[in-house]
Amino acid sequence: GPVGMSVASEHHHKVRGLIMGNTWYWPAKGFLFWMFSKGMGLSFMQKKVIKDNFFVEKLMPDSLQVELSKEAFDHYRHTTPAPQFRRGIAEAPRQITAAKRWLTMLETNVHRTLKDVPVLLIFGRKDPMLGSKTVIERWKANFADHTYFDLPDAGHFIQEDAPQEVA
């Protein structure tokens, strides 16, 4: 989300439209954002993510609304097969709150460069942070030319929870 929006705003002259799902690009606010960011930023959690692949092995299954096959989970496991490949995954949640200055600048850049771009919004409503009415309404308010597609039974991983609907 934020990284993609940063690239899109930097290259806005090449962007004809955006498809966004269960993400954001502004400074995160709210207890759930803060708690997840701070909790996952604790050194013992960082070690669990890096050493034990905790994000894929525990957080992802707990976030899904469907049960994935072993083969599907192996796909996620194999993208980060060893601890040295998991540092970015460990750092990303920490940056939800730590990157406030960057997210503030990003929000300004997106409003300046992309506000008139058509956006397809696809949100899983069972995602407690990013599927909230507050987040969705903010997207809608920021992009007048939007189409919203609601996935009432999908969580954060919309591509797994509702693959046909997302397609």
Side-chain angles (χ1 to χ4, degrees):
V3 173
M5 289 301 275
S6 179
V7 172
S9 68
E10 288 173 20
H11 301 280
H12 60 92
H13 56 282
K14 296 180 180 180
V15 176
R16 287 193 259 170
L18 297 166
I19 300 172
M20 307 305 291
N22 288 61
T23 193
W24 87 108
Y25 65 90
W26 51 81
K29 294 179 183 168
F31 181 71
L32 287 177
F33 281 104
W34 180 86
M35 189 173 78
F36 180 72
S37 183
K38 295 301 182 186
M40 291 301 295
L42 296 171
S43 62
F44 85 92
M45 289 305 299
Q46 295 278 296
K47 289 176 186 169
K48 284 187 75 59
V49 170
I50 292 169
K51 182 179 176 285
D52 301 330
N53 205 11
F54 182 79
F55 199 91
V56 170
E57 298 296 337
K58 178 68 175 146
L59 291 182
M60 187 174 178
D62 288 351
S63 299
L64 287 164
Q65 305 303 305
V66 298
E67 188 172 334
L68 292 186
S69 68
K70 180 189 178 315
E71 293 78 19
F73 256 116
D74 283 346
H75 168 79
Y76 289 99
R77 288 180 182 110
H78 292 141
T79 61
T80 56
Q84 66 266 27
F85 301 115
R86 300 180 192 136
R87 295 187 194 285
I89 293 170
E91 181 62 25
R94 233 180 48 74
Q95 291 301 317
I96 292 170
T97 55
K100 184 177 181 178
R101 182 189 299 177
W102 178 73
L103 289 165
T104 300
M105 290 186 310
L106 177 59
E107 181 177 28
T108 300
N109 289 341
V110 166
H111 286 226
R112 183 176 47 80
T113 61
L114 297 171
K115 68 179 179 182
D116 297 322
V117 170
V119 178
L120 173 59
L121 303 170
I122 308 171
F123 279 76
R125 296 304 300 276
K126 289 193 175 178
D127 180 332
M129 291 190 299
L130 298 168
S132 73
K133 183 176 180 176
T134 302
V135 169
I136 294 164
E137 291 305 317
R138 189 163 183 177
W139 274 101
K140 289 177 177 181
N142 290 344
F143 292 90
D145 187 3
H146 69 268
T147 301
Y148 175 70
F149 193 72
D150 189 74
L151 300 171
D153 297 320
H156 182 71
F157 297 98
I158 60 175
Q159 74 280 6
E160 298 295 353
D161 287 337
Q164 297 303 319
E165 295 89 336
V166 170

